[in-house]
Amino acid sequence: MAFRNVVKGTVFLGGGAVAAVFGLSHLTDKRKASITSVEAAEPIKSSIQNELPPREAQLLTLQKTKEFDVLVIGGGATGCGCALDAVSRGLKTALVEKDDFSSGTSSRSTKLIHGGVRYLQKAIMNLDIEQYKLVKEALHERANLLEIAPHLSAPLPIMLPVYKWWQLPYYWIGIKAYDLVAGSQCLRSSYILSKSKALGLFPMLRKDKLVGAIVYYDGQHNDARMNLAIALTAARYGAATANYTEVVRLLRKIDPESGKELVCGARCRDILTGQEFDVRAKCVINATGPFTDSVRKMDDQEVKNICQPSAGVHIVMPGYYSPDNMGLLDPATSDGRVIFFLPWEKMTIAGTTDTPTEVTHHPIPTDEDINFILTEVRNYLSSDVEVRRGDVLAAWSGIRPLVTNPNSKDTQSISRNHVVDVSESGLVTIAGGKWTTYRSMAEDTLDAAVKAHNLKAGPCRTVGLFLEGGQDWSPTLYIRLVQDYGLESEVAQHLAATYGDQAFEVAKLAKVTGKRWPIVGKRLVSEFPYIEAEVKYALREYACTAVDVISRRTRLAFLNVQAAEEALPRIVDIMAKELNWKEQRKKEELETAKKFLYYEMGYKSRSEQLTDRSEINLSPSDVDRYTKRFHKFDKDKKGFITILDVQHVLENINVHMDANNLHEILNEVDLNKNGQVELNEFLQLMSAIQKGFVSSSRLAILMKSAEENLEQREPIPVHRSGGGVKK
């Protein structure tokens, strides 16, 4: 009864918020207010290339073209969006990126396509028209992105649990206003849940004091693949795009009419070969995100910095921490930040933090941020769910490029929206903004570029323009992959959701497995649907390194660093065969990729939970139990076990494992790296497991299973387990 009364009161109180939203909507400019549905512009007359030009051909185009209309620096979402906008307007377009497409902030987001509930709250509370316009624009862009890349994006219901009665009307008003602002582009109407229904949908939720919940809808996407789709679409329309191409300096010329020195291109260097060349253009666009100021200073050493970088850390946990299709929003953490807890690629993402940082190409997630997120997760999950540090499968840090507006009177305040600036020498800079609004940011940038440089261009045509793989995708496309090629259903669904209508090209590259089923499609690692054919296809998508493959063509590094490391040797072997790498290059690729996983993807933080300095906090009975287990392998009482000891025990129970796999399993626990696991190291492992610092230890699971089977004398299957070890 109390719940019903609160709901009735909530509806009554919502009228004030609705009125406020209507008031703000009448104040917005006509152009933004008139957007109610996603409608494509007139068809683009330029032809689409059926085959993507290889990187070598793109580099040659960059070198041989006398002058481009537009040169974009930066291959993130905004830079690639600018390139696509420019080429679709009929402009001769080039784009260069120092690293790989989406190697920076664009691949390290929360994976949401959203308008920003927080911004709307501020707009209503403060009657802030700028905040309102930002939300309105983002919600329009959300609808557009879900339409033009349906294979890479989808609506996601997000639950906002409520633990105080007064919060129910407060949050409901805000969420309903969010629906109202979206208008006809509202994905689905939000709704209120009782406590029992909320727990039915999200059983992991903390039960005590729970009043109810509110569910609203936003979009979710595969950010790196989305960024890549934008880049590939631009390339298909004729843009000369090249990753691993660094801008060394900007080129200049004297304008004969004004006598001013103008930017007219850039001196570029192919990082893979060291070759340098000039790329000339009528207009140069700086779309380098956190590195905005470094390019601006190439233009003018005296210019003041406008970028104020902030680090956002995310962690990935096993999928059982969240329902398959329901996210969670914590609107007020212990320090005022917002935390999302979202299902993604059958795992669970939790984040983000917001900490001032230095600009770097290699941001590293800190233990402090990881533990902060875990603490907040514990506050919202049931006490029945043990949130373990060892369940952090991957972690990353992304640098959000917050900016101040150089054209504003108050140059110290952070701009809520993106900023487009044209310098005296003609360099066009686009900075700030958010992933969701990349397209409108690109549109504003090209509008400014066309005006500043008097470029002959048509209107923006990117609203409703399908991205790579989206044109002929359908929800049932994966069935054809299963029927026509003999792929596993899980693999087929993954390919359809990753490549869209291009999934058939990947399937054609898949090798026969030699099994009755699946007929084709060898997996890179057993528990993920990524297959070897994707490595070959990644090369067509301009992948140049093993890191490109494990982090941005596939998302393995973002899902499980240990699995990514396991897949690396095979990935490098396939790339070496296709690219004619010598042994030295293969070794370098492995080392670079492992370093990337260790520092940037959280492997270091994960591995340091078990070190040679780890304490052993076990009861005497536990020490005795684990010592007896250890001695079943250490028959000779040497005080350590080797691969041969483990193989001998496994043979006794009719289990056979590859020596290389056994070496990897022991190496995870071999803290002093002497090729053997000592009793003390094993006890440290079991202590760390009990404390939750380590989970899914293959050696611990293997030894426990073997002990049980030695007693029963029954054969067992041995494989990687997703569960923990009973204490």
Side-chain angles (χ1 to χ4, degrees):
M1 190 68 180
F3 180 80
R4 290 181 181 176
N5 289 336
V6 170
V7 170
K8 289 178 181 178
T10 295
V11 174
F12 177 76
L13 289 170
V18 170
V21 170
F22 270 120
L24 287 170
S25 66
H26 285 297
L27 293 173
T28 55
D29 61 273
K30 293 181 180 179
R31 186 177 70 87
K32 296 294 183 184
S34 65
I35 297 173
T36 57
S37 60
V38 175
E39 295 182 4
E42 295 178 11
I44 300 170
K45 295 179 180 179
S46 58
S47 60
I48 300 177
Q49 301 180 59
N50 291 326
E51 295 290 333
L52 284 167
R55 181 174 179 273
E56 293 73 18
Q58 297 281 45
L59 287 169
L60 196 60
T61 301
L62 289 172
Q63 296 171 42
K64 299 297 184 183
T65 300
K66 185 177 180 180
E67 185 181 51
F68 289 95
D69 293 316
V70 172
L71 167 62
V72 181
I73 306 173
T78 305
C80 291
C82 287
L84 179 56
D85 189 294
V87 74
S88 62
R89 294 189 192 210
L91 296 171
K92 193 179 294 184
T93 305
L95 179 146
V96 293
E97 160 59 43
K98 181 178 181 179
D99 204 298
D100 185 27
F101 302 116
S102 196
S103 58
T105 306
S106 296
S107 64
R108 306 179 190 223
S109 73
T110 311
K111 323 302 180 194
L112 283 178
I113 311 170
H114 62 132
V117 176
R118 288 178 300 163
Y119 299 133
L120 184 59
Q121 178 192 26
K122 292 177 182 177
I124 294 173
M125 299 299 289
N126 304 325
L127 291 178
D128 188 331
I129 190 67
E130 289 303 316
Q131 289 276 17
Y132 174 80
K133 288 166 66 176
L134 176 64
V135 176
K136 183 75 174 176
E137 177 186 57
L139 288 173
H140 170 255
E141 294 304 321
R142 179 187 70 177
N144 182 63
L145 200 48
L146 288 167
E147 180 174 313
I148 65 178
H151 57 305
L152 292 170
S153 59
L156 176 70
I158 299 174
M159 181 182 292
L160 198 163
V162 179
Y163 288 92
K164 295 178 181 177
W165 284 108
W166 69 265
Q167 290 179 335
L168 200 60
Y170 176 76
Y171 288 135
W172 185 86
I173 290 168
I175 294 300
K176 274 301 170 188
Y178 194 58
D179 290 349
L180 184 63
V181 173
S184 63
Q185 295 173 339
C186 179
L187 301 180
R188 185 175 170 183
S189 183
S190 58
Y191 54 93
I192 296 177
L193 292 173
S194 65
K195 176 179 179 178
S196 60
K197 289 185 177 179
L199 292 173
L201 287 173
F202 209 120
M204 308 84 170
L205 209 55
R206 178 163 61 87
K207 303 174 182 64
D208 57 304
K209 297 183 180 180
L210 181 68
V211 172
I214 300 168
V215 175
Y216 74 98
Y217 286 77
D218 255 327
Q220 188 178 52
H221 69 152
N222 186 334
D223 54 3
R225 291 293 316 182
M226 186 73 80
N227 192 157
L228 184 63
I230 301 167
L232 297 179
T233 306
R236 285 198 188 276
Y237 277 104
T241 60
N243 53 353
Y244 293 100
T245 305
E246 177 184 19
V247 170
V248 178
R249 66 177 183 275
L250 297 177
L251 302 178
R252 299 175 181 279
K253 69 177 182 180
I254 301 297
D255 181 19
E257 295 182 5
S258 64
K260 285 185 178 180
E261 194 174 52
L262 302 178
V263 172
C264 63
R267 180 71 174 177
C268 298
R269 182 171 71 91
D270 181 353
I271 288 179
L272 301 181
T273 64
Q275 180 187 8
E276 291 193 7
F277 53 90
D278 290 341
V279 179
R280 298 194 174 275
K282 296 172 184 174
C283 171
V284 176
I285 295 175
N286 170 20
T288 53
F291 303 95
T292 293
D293 289 322
S294 62
V295 176
R296 292 176 74 239
K297 287 184 183 297
M298 287 184 185
D299 178 37
D300 179 3
Q301 283 288 339
E302 304 302 318
V303 73
K304 292 182 179 180
N305 288 349
I306 61 171
C307 185
Q308 298 188 22
S310 174
V313 171
H314 295 80
I315 64 174
V316 170
M317 306 176 78
Y320 54 71
Y321 273 97
S322 64
D324 290 340
N325 193 38
M326 179 70 74
L328 183 75
L329 167 64
D330 178 357
T333 62
S334 57
D335 68 349
R337 291 184 270 193
V338 171
I339 289 286
F340 285 98
F341 195 59
L342 309 168
W344 184 69
E345 298 286 321
K346 299 188 177 179
M347 294 296 180
T348 301
I349 289 180
T352 178
T353 59
D354 187 6
T355 311
T357 186
E358 296 295 321
V359 176
T360 173
H361 285 284
H362 306 289
I364 298 172
T366 66
D367 279 335
E368 181 182 359
D369 283 329
I370 291 172
N371 289 328
F372 166 78
I373 296 172
L374 286 173
T375 298
E376 296 303 325
V377 169
R378 290 188 187 101
N379 290 339
Y380 266 83
L381 295 190
S382 168
S383 57
D384 297 338
V385 180
E386 184 183 0
V387 180
R388 304 179 298 183
R389 178 62 178 79
D391 283 336
V392 178
L393 305 176
W396 67 85
S397 176
I399 300 178
R400 186 183 177 201
L402 303 175
V403 294
T404 56
N405 189 343
N407 302 314
S408 172
K409 293 180 180 179
D410 181 10
T411 58
Q412 297 302 311
S413 62
I414 296 292
S415 174
R416 303 184 188 102
N417 210 328
H418 58 270
V419 172
V420 179
D421 177 61
V422 182
S423 72
E424 289 188 7
S425 62
L427 176 68
V428 180
T429 294
I430 170 66
K434 54 195 290 187
W435 221 121
T436 307
T437 59
Y438 85 90
R439 193 212 61 81
S440 62
M441 291 167 64
E443 179 180 353
D444 290 348
T445 305
L446 265 296
D447 285 346
V450 168
K451 181 179 179 181
H453 293 274
N454 196 28
L455 301 175
K456 295 180 180 179
C460 176
R461 299 179 180 276
T462 53
V463 174
L465 178 64
F466 278 105
L467 299 183
E468 176 87 351
Q471 182 81 50
D472 296 320
W473 175 86
S474 73
T476 58
L477 184 146
Y478 80 94
I479 297 175
R480 289 176 54 197
L481 292 170
V482 175
Q483 294 175 337
D484 294 352
Y485 294 93
L487 288 160
E488 291 177 77
S489 180
E490 184 186 10
V491 170
Q493 289 179 51
H494 153 67
L495 294 182
T498 302
Y499 304 94
D501 57 30
Q502 297 297 309
F504 298 101
E505 299 303 314
V506 183
K508 290 174 185 177
L509 299 174
K511 286 188 175 181
V512 175
T513 63
K515 302 176 183 178
R516 185 184 63 81
W517 190 263
I519 298 172
V520 300
K522 292 183 178 180
R523 294 195 182 208
L524 289 167
V525 283
S526 60
E527 65 266 51
F528 290 94
Y530 300 110
I531 60 174
E532 292 182 355
E534 291 181 78
V535 182
K536 290 184 179 180
Y537 192 76
L539 303 180
R540 299 184 186 181
E541 296 181 321
Y542 306 122
C544 299
T545 70
V547 171
D548 297 344
V549 174
I550 62 173
S551 59
R552 294 174 287 273
R553 302 311 182 279
T554 72
R555 305 312 307 275
L556 201 49
F558 282 79
L559 296 171
N560 189 316
V561 287
Q562 190 176 343
E565 185 183 47
E566 205 173 288
L568 268 177
R570 183 59 188 144
I571 289 171
V572 171
D573 282 344
I574 295 170
M575 295 183 76
K577 185 177 180 181
E578 295 295 316
L579 300 174
N580 298 315
W581 287 347
K582 298 188 182 300
E583 285 301 317
Q584 180 60 31
R585 175 65 187 274
K586 289 174 64 176
K587 182 180 178 181
E588 290 171 357
E589 285 291 328
L590 279 171
E591 290 177 354
T592 300
K594 287 181 178 180
K595 184 178 179 181
F596 168 78
L597 292 173
Y598 189 72
Y599 289 106
E600 296 184 51
M601 288 291 109
Y603 210 152
K604 178 178 184 289
S605 181
R606 178 179 170 86
S607 64
E608 285 180 350
Q609 299 307 307
L610 181 64
T611 71
D612 55 7
R613 296 181 299 279
S614 298
E615 294 181 3
I616 299 174
N617 293 318
L618 296 170
S619 66
S621 61
D622 283 339
V623 170
D624 182 60
R625 178 157 57 99
Y626 294 138
T627 300
K628 286 180 180 178
R629 182 178 299 173
F630 184 85
H631 284 150
K632 288 186 182 295
F633 288 77
D634 180 21
K635 296 281 189 182
D636 301 327
K637 302 294 189 295
K638 305 183 297 296
F640 62 85
I641 58 175
T642 65
I643 290 177
L644 292 176
D645 294 321
V646 178
Q647 282 180 326
H648 179 70
V649 172
L650 294 180
E651 286 172 1
N652 287 339
I653 56 174
N654 299 323
V655 172
H656 301 280
M657 288 190 69
D658 180 79
N660 290 331
N661 287 337
L662 278 177
H663 175 74
E664 287 180 7
I665 290 172
L666 264 68
N667 193 52
E668 292 170 6
V669 187
D670 179 14
L671 303 178
N672 55 15
K673 304 304 177 188
N674 61 356
Q676 57 197 31
V677 175
E678 292 150 11
L679 175 59
N680 193 61
E681 291 173 324
F682 181 66
L683 294 177
Q684 285 175 308
L685 169 67
M686 300 312 297
S687 178
I689 289 172
Q690 281 200 2
K691 289 185 286 187
F693 294 158
V694 172
S695 65
S696 304
S697 168
R698 292 185 286 176
L699 181 65
I701 294 169
L702 175 67
M703 291 178 71
K704 181 178 183 294
S705 300
E707 180 186 45
E708 292 172 350
N709 279 268
L710 281 171
E711 294 170 356
Q712 299 174 7
R713 290 291 178 178
E714 293 179 359
I716 60 167
V718 180
H719 53 78
R720 181 195 297 273
S721 170
V725 178
K726 292 182 180 179
K727 302 181 177 81

